Amino acid sequence: MTLHAQLADQLQALDPSRDDYATQFIDLLLMRAREAGASDLHLHPVVDRLEIRWRIDGVLSPVGTFAPGTRTDPIARLK
């Protein structure tokens, strides 16, 4: 399993109803992006979902689409 697939599985496994969802989500995302050598991350909120892509070696690749969180929001965590 690739690091990309592992990350998607780990992010999907997080419980979006927890108070610390956004913290767990962003910490895991940033840690795995660094390990993968991603130069940038793109978080794009869409209706009831959060689309994530990362750029590795100049190529922008989708990581997946995830729940935004019910109590905490990963985008707000970054702000």
Side-chain angles (χ1 to χ4, degrees), residues 49-67:
R49 304 305 283 166
L50 180 62
E51 292 179 358
I52 299 179
R53 294 174 290 176
W54 60 11
R55 187 178 312 278
I56 298 175
D57 295 329
V59 178
L60 190 61
S61 302
V63 173
T65 304
F66 306 95

Side-chain angles (χ1 to χ4, degrees), residues 27-42:
D27 288 351
L28 181 60
L29 178 61
L30 292 176
M31 180 178 64
R32 294 293 185 216
R34 184 170 186 241
E35 289 172 3
S39 61
D40 55 291
L41 292 167
H42 295 246

